[in-house]
Amino acid sequence: MVDVFKKPITADQVKAKGIALGADLVGIADGKAMNAFPPDPRDPRRPSDLSDLDADRVIVLAKRCNSGSTRLARWNDRHKLYNDELALASLEETVLELICWLEECGYPAIAVPPTYVDRGFYRGDPAAHMTTILSLSHAAVEAGLGTLGLNLQLITPQFGPRVLLAAALSSVPVQPDRRMEQTLCLGPSCGRCLKACPGDVVGHWDRDWQNCDRYRSPQGFAHLVEHITRAIEEPDPERQKALVRSEESFNLWQSMLRGSGINTGCRRCQDVCPVGADYTPMLKDALDEIPEATPAKQARLDAMAAAEARGERSSAGQAQTRWIGELSYLKPTP
Ligand code: SF4
Ligand code: SF4
């Protein structure tokens, strides 16, 4: 009976609406496939964990990072963090508007938080890496928007990894997109993400997420707890007062006002990736040189490339094959 109130809509219409509302890319993933293939089977986070009824489709929206802020090479430049926060806020509004439209068409829908971590996942350790309810990078691959790169960042043909992601769940009966079969990543012989990483946390199709978080969220919860603890434990009253009034306190306060430096942070690995139609015309002249590169980083990349040439793949890489795609760069050119 309820079906009479549902307006028939197509996948193209859903995508066109997302673009009209402000997204730069929109893809649609099959919720059932995502339920069957969680990125980490030891800790599965599936669309069905959010909703039993309204999660047949995961509509993934991407907004590009603006090139002007990408061209700022300092990973913790506060203008960069602020620009990304603006883009994220705009994308969240786009998702909400898309949800309202889907519901006007008769299909209940729900937003997937791009940064919010359920308090049920917190184990009392502020420094421990906590993941979101759904991995939106993996959802974006399932939605045909791109593939995962050497450090497991999403890479898209249009903007490389320079996108922010959000998603909506709905059981709107539209055709899902197909995953890309071939990786977009150029592999260890490129390795620019590893060379540029200020925390040196990039592995072979892997990343040390806990240490990355210190850069991805420089004024985040771990930092806040450390700063407060330092101030509480300072025995000298004058130094204690100075800590409370310090630039660090100011940055934490300002970050909490808007979320920049908390929900946004380092993206140096995204900035320098040469994949993406935007790289050469908009970024190459500013970002080609990588001052953070060292001989030790290069030696690690050479070892990775040699292992791949022998047909060896890291265990982390094997576990992520579905989302990395086939390593087409290893194929001999005809
Ligand atoms: S976000 Fe920053 S710290 Fe994390 S992998 Fe990328 S470059 Fe490294
Ligand atoms: S910088 Fe190079 S190695 Fe890293 S994700 Fe991009 S293409 Fe892959």
Side-chain angles (χ1 to χ4, degrees):
M1 280 303 285
V2 171
D3 280 358
V4 297
F5 299 109
K6 294 188 188 306
K7 183 175 160 187
I9 50 176
T10 65
D12 283 348
Q13 285 172 309
V14 172
K15 291 183 203 175
K17 190 71 187 175
I19 300 287
L21 289 169
D24 291 303
L25 305 171
V26 184
I28 301 174
D30 179 4
K32 283 197 183 69
M34 289 184 63
N35 291 337
F37 298 101
D40 181 359
R42 294 162 306 175
D43 180 17
R45 294 173 188 216
R46 299 158 293 213
S48 59
D49 297 325
L50 273 134
S51 169
D52 287 335
L53 298 172
D54 300 312
D56 284 357
R57 296 290 175 266
V58 181
I59 304 163
V60 184
L61 300 97
K63 186 148 192 79
R64 70 174 182 86
C65 303
N66 59 308
S67 299
S69 66
T70 300
R71 292 166 67 87
L72 301 172
R74 276 181 50 212
W75 71 266
N76 56 354
D77 189 299
R78 288 191 74 79
H79 299 292
K80 199 175 176 105
L81 310 188
Y82 170 69
N83 273 261
D84 286 358
E85 204 283 322
L86 283 183
L88 188 60
S90 150
L91 185 59
E92 286 177 323
E93 277 186 28
T94 298
V95 172
L96 183 61
E97 292 295 322
L98 185 69
I99 284 170
C100 292
W101 175 76
L102 284 165
E103 298 205 337
E104 279 162 22
C105 296
Y107 305 99
I110 178 169
V112 181
T115 53
Y116 171 75
V117 176
D118 192 286
R119 68 196 160 99
F121 298 144
Y122 182 57
R123 299 279 176 266
D125 176 4
H129 174 60
M130 289 189 293
T131 51
T132 47
I133 290 168
L134 275 189
S135 165
L136 294 186
S137 302
H138 290 83
V141 175
E142 297 286 352
L145 294 183
T147 63
L148 299 190
L150 191 67
N151 65 348
L152 303 185
Q153 62 187 351
L154 174 77
I155 312 177
T156 67
Q158 297 86 348
F159 310 112
R162 294 165 288 277
V163 288
L164 295 150
L165 296 171
L169 301 183
S170 178
S171 289
V172 58
V174 295
Q175 185 67 30
D177 287 294
R178 291 172 64 89
R179 269 180 303 125
M180 293 178 188
E181 304 274 325
Q182 311 284 325
T183 190
L184 295 171
C185 179
L186 307 172
S189 64
C190 163
R192 287 173 58 83
C193 49
L194 187 152
K195 290 180 204 169
C197 176
D200 200 6
V201 303
V202 177
H204 195 188
W205 305 109
D206 202 4
R207 184 190 309 202
D208 173 348
W209 289 99
Q210 182 162 328
N211 282 317
C212 173
D213 285 346
R214 304 308 298 239
Y215 296 84
R216 282 199 309 164
S217 181
Q219 268 82 47
F221 185 57
H223 188 85
L224 174 73
V225 171
E226 276 169 17
H227 185 62
I228 292 175
T229 306
R230 225 176 9 253
I232 290 171
E233 290 178 351
E234 173 54 58
D236 181 89
E238 282 311 310
R239 280 211 294 264
Q240 191 175 48
K241 228 184 278 176
L243 270 173
V244 171
R245 293 171 176 171
S246 62
E247 186 187 326
E248 222 167 329
S249 293
F250 176 79
N251 284 340
L252 283 161
W253 169 77
Q254 204 175 46
S255 292
M256 279 189 272
L257 286 178
R258 295 212 50 122
S260 45
I262 297 175
N263 293 328
T264 60
C266 178
R267 60 171 165 97
R268 187 76 180 128
C269 49
Q270 296 163 256
D271 300 347
V272 300
C273 178
V275 178
D278 60 337
Y279 186 76
T280 299
M282 301 294 278
L283 305 170
K284 192 175 189 314
D285 64 314
L287 297 171
D288 225 23
E289 211 184 303
I290 300 183
E292 302 94 332
T294 64
K297 285 178 171 177
Q298 186 58 56
R300 282 203 340 261
L301 284 167
D302 292 344
M304 290 176 197
E308 287 188 0
R310 292 193 300 271
E312 296 165 16
R313 198 153 176 189
S314 68
S315 55
Q318 280 173 31
Q320 293 293 309
T321 300
R322 177 180 175 87
W323 302 281
I324 292 167
E326 199 185 331
L327 303 186
S328 36
Y329 58 80
L330 288 174
K331 283 188 190 156
T333 37

Short mmCIF file of all heavy atoms in Angstrom, two decimals, residues 182 326-334:
data_model
loop_
_atom_site.label_atom_id
_atom_site.label_comp_id
_atom_site.label_asym_id
_atom_site.label_seq_id
_atom_site.Cartn_x
_atom_site.Cartn_y
_atom_site.Cartn_z
N GLN A 182 40.59 -1.91 -12.18
CA GLN A 182 42.04 -1.63 -12.20
C GLN A 182 42.36 -0.50 -11.23
O GLN A 182 41.65 0.50 -11.19
CB GLN A 182 42.46 -1.17 -13.61
CG GLN A 182 41.98 -2.06 -14.74
CD GLN A 182 42.78 -3.34 -14.82
OE1 GLN A 182 43.98 -3.34 -14.55
NE2 GLN A 182 42.13 -4.43 -15.16
N GLU A 326 43.16 -4.33 -9.35
CA GLU A 326 44.27 -5.05 -9.96
C GLU A 326 45.43 -4.08 -10.20
O GLU A 326 45.22 -2.94 -10.64
CB GLU A 326 43.81 -5.62 -11.31
CG GLU A 326 44.70 -6.73 -11.81
CD GLU A 326 44.28 -7.19 -13.20
OE1 GLU A 326 43.07 -7.09 -13.52
OE2 GLU A 326 45.16 -7.60 -13.97
N LEU A 327 46.65 -4.53 -9.90
CA LEU A 327 47.82 -3.65 -10.04
C LEU A 327 48.22 -3.59 -11.51
O LEU A 327 49.19 -4.21 -11.96
CB LEU A 327 48.98 -4.14 -9.16
CG LEU A 327 48.67 -4.27 -7.67
CD1 LEU A 327 49.93 -4.60 -6.88
CD2 LEU A 327 48.01 -3.00 -7.12
N SER A 328 47.49 -2.79 -12.26
CA SER A 328 47.67 -2.75 -13.71
C SER A 328 49.06 -2.24 -14.09
O SER A 328 49.59 -2.59 -15.14
CB SER A 328 46.59 -1.89 -14.34
OG SER A 328 46.28 -0.81 -13.51
N TYR A 329 49.69 -1.44 -13.21
CA TYR A 329 51.00 -0.90 -13.57
C TYR A 329 52.08 -1.98 -13.62
O TYR A 329 53.16 -1.74 -14.13
CB TYR A 329 51.41 0.23 -12.59
CG TYR A 329 51.48 -0.20 -11.14
CD1 TYR A 329 52.58 -0.88 -10.63
CD2 TYR A 329 50.43 0.08 -10.28
CE1 TYR A 329 52.63 -1.26 -9.29
CE2 TYR A 329 50.47 -0.30 -8.95
CZ TYR A 329 51.58 -0.97 -8.47
OH TYR A 329 51.61 -1.35 -7.15
N LEU A 330 51.77 -3.19 -13.09
CA LEU A 330 52.76 -4.28 -13.14
C LEU A 330 52.71 -5.03 -14.47
O LEU A 330 53.62 -5.79 -14.79
CB LEU A 330 52.50 -5.28 -12.00
CG LEU A 330 52.85 -4.81 -10.59
CD1 LEU A 330 52.42 -5.85 -9.56
CD2 LEU A 330 54.34 -4.53 -10.47
N LYS A 331 51.64 -4.82 -15.22
CA LYS A 331 51.49 -5.54 -16.49
C LYS A 331 52.50 -5.03 -17.51
O LYS A 331 52.69 -3.81 -17.62
CB LYS A 331 50.08 -5.33 -17.07
CG LYS A 331 49.02 -6.14 -16.39
CD LYS A 331 47.73 -6.01 -17.17
CE LYS A 331 46.58 -6.60 -16.42
NZ LYS A 331 45.30 -6.03 -16.81
N PRO A 332 53.18 -5.95 -18.24
CA PRO A 332 54.10 -5.46 -19.28
C PRO A 332 53.35 -4.69 -20.36
O PRO A 332 52.23 -5.08 -20.74
CB PRO A 332 54.71 -6.75 -19.85
CG PRO A 332 53.88 -7.87 -19.35
CD PRO A 332 53.03 -7.38 -18.21
N THR A 333 53.90 -3.59 -20.83
CA THR A 333 53.22 -2.83 -21.89
C THR A 333 53.40 -3.55 -23.23
O THR A 333 54.51 -3.98 -23.55
CB THR A 333 53.79 -1.40 -21.99
OG1 THR A 333 55.19 -1.43 -21.75
CG2 THR A 333 53.13 -0.46 -21.03
N PRO A 334 52.29 -3.72 -23.99
CA PRO A 334 52.38 -4.52 -25.22
C PRO A 334 53.23 -3.82 -26.29
O PRO A 334 53.41 -2.63 -26.28
CB PRO A 334 50.92 -4.61 -25.70
CG PRO A 334 50.15 -3.60 -24.93
CD PRO A 334 50.98 -3.13 -23.77
#
